[in-house]
Amino acid sequence: MDEIWKKQKWLSRAAFVSKGETSDYVGQNCNPKYTELIEDGWSHDHCEICWWSLHELENSDSGEGYTNDGRSWLCTECYEQSVVTKA
Ligand SMILES: [Zn+2]
């Protein structure tokens, strides 16, 4: 793995909701008739390895994780086990 993982506080972000499906808002165009942009619609992510949920919380177990691009997340525990030990 040569990505750079950085410890960050997980923050909710904008999401599109279209026909009941939530997708990441990355500045794409959309048809406002079918799609709604919700400011904090992306309410959590999952750790890529153990599927631990990360939320916008003060608690560092659930409120902080490691990310390389803001979309893939690892919880602190998996980061320490899989990234640090291999480095
Ligand atoms: Zn994990």
Side-chain angles (χ1 to χ4, degrees):
M1 243 194 265
D2 57 349
E3 297 113 333
I4 297 159
W5 293 84
K6 278 185 264 171
K7 190 170 195 178
Q8 274 180 31
K9 217 172 149 358
W10 195 93
L11 296 171
S12 61
R13 54 188 193 273
F16 271 138
V17 177
S18 176
K19 296 173 199 154
E21 276 184 46
T22 306
S23 40
D24 223 351
Y25 175 64
V26 287
Q28 71 267 50
N29 288 318
C30 68
N31 185 337
K33 200 170 155 192
Y34 302 110
T35 310
E36 200 180 348
L37 176 62
I38 300 177
E39 269 316 315
D40 57 354
W42 199 268
S43 62
H44 68 281
D45 271 311
H46 291 282
C47 169
E48 299 267 300
I49 296 170
C50 70
W51 217 243
W52 176 262
S53 305
L54 293 163
H55 300 266
E56 191 173 332
L57 290 172
E58 287 309 314
N59 172 344
S60 65
D61 282 349
S62 300
E64 284 179 2
Y66 286 80
T67 184
N68 56 356
D69 60 4
R71 274 186 250 158
S72 302
W73 286 84
L74 292 177
C75 70
T76 311
E77 221 177 289
C78 291
Y79 173 84
E80 282 167 4
Q81 280 178 13
S82 65
V83 181
V84 177
T85 54
K86 272 188 219 159

